[in-house]
Amino acid sequence: MCGPLKGIRVLDLTSVVLGPLATQTLGDMGADVIKIEGPEGDTTRYTGPNRSEDMSALFMGLNRNKRSIVLDLKQKGAKEVLWRLIEDADVFLHSIRPQAIERLGFAYETVREQNKKIIYAGVHGYGNDGPYSGRPAYDDVIQGLSGTADLMNRLVGEPRYMPTIIADKTCGLVTVNAILAALLEREKSGLGQFV
């Protein structure tokens, strides 16, 4: 790979669109992206048109420029593999709810103890506190809660979702910008951070 992020290793523990779009973009810029999937695989493997049963066009597009590994993080051996990968990683990006990633043993504080230079990005819909903490946040849910579906009401006379995955795509691009800024800051300070 060549590009401005050549030599940057990204651990991608994301699924669906937001996280995979972010890591696909980082990969397009030359980063070495390792996608880490559980045994069941990313759900987008089975979403929409496909040529093989577990390789939909959506999945293939969002996961280009990536290497991959299957790790069942509920198993001790798989956790040990991930810890070895974390030692040399520059970015750890996950879309696992905060409570679940903590139960697995990979919360920010724990990962940072292992690698002080890592950029740790948790992309999930809601923070650790508040009434929605721990709930999943899919694109349609965010479109409804943010009022985006009501904008379509003004256009076509009834509430509808935007005809694209607007929340995931927008947040994926914002995630890329945040990670790039954190990598630049690390060049100055030598330390990673939580994004």
Side-chain angles (χ1 to χ4, degrees):
M1 295 294 296
C2 60
L5 295 184
K6 182 179 180 182
I8 298 293
R9 176 164 291 164
V10 177
L11 302 181
D12 177 4
L13 285 83
T14 68
S15 61
V16 191
V17 174
L18 188 167
L21 175 63
T23 54
Q24 171 229 300
T25 304
L26 295 171
D28 289 348
M29 293 179 189
D32 174 22
V33 181
I34 302 172
K35 181 166 179 82
I36 299 164
E37 293 180 78
E40 66 284 352
D42 186 331
T43 57
T44 57
R45 284 180 171 277
Y46 315 100
T47 304
N50 60 20
R51 286 197 176 202
S52 74
E53 187 177 311
D54 61 351
M55 292 287 193
S56 74
L58 177 63
F59 178 82
M60 296 296 288
L62 289 170
N63 292 287
R64 67 175 183 252
N65 295 329
K66 299 177 188 179
R67 298 185 290 153
S68 65
I69 185 172
V70 173
L71 294 175
D72 181 353
L73 295 178
K74 295 176 183 168
Q75 304 299 318
K76 182 181 177 188
K79 288 181 181 188
E80 291 170 357
V81 170
L82 183 54
W83 282 119
R84 286 197 304 270
L85 290 170
I86 287 170
E87 287 176 11
D88 297 321
D90 297 288
V91 177
F92 180 95
L93 176 62
H94 75 87
S95 60
I96 302 167
R97 287 176 287 136
Q99 298 83 352
I101 197 79
E102 189 171 332
R103 278 193 307 273
L104 289 170
F106 295 97
Y108 170 63
E109 297 79 16
T110 311
V111 171
R112 186 173 184 274
E113 285 176 20
Q114 182 79 14
N115 180 343
K116 299 267 190 257
K117 291 185 169 191
I118 202 156
I119 307 303
Y120 183 105
V123 289
H124 36 80
Y126 309 105
N128 290 341
D129 51 6
Y132 297 116
S133 176
R135 290 188 183 180
Y138 299 106
D139 198 273
D140 53 353
V141 172
I142 298 303
Q143 285 194 44
L145 286 173
S146 68
T148 304
D150 184 58
L151 292 176
M152 292 298 287
N153 182 38
R154 298 169 195 197
L155 182 66
V156 299
E158 67 179 358
R160 291 185 184 174
Y161 297 124
M162 293 281 184
T164 185
I165 310 167
I166 193 167
D168 276 8
K169 290 176 181 177
T170 302
C171 293
L173 296 176
V174 169
T175 299
V176 170
N177 288 332
I179 289 170
L180 292 175
L183 286 168
L184 180 60
E185 170 57 30
R186 187 182 74 175
E187 288 298 309
K188 298 173 185 177
S189 69
L191 296 174
Q193 62 180 281
F194 180 82
V195 172

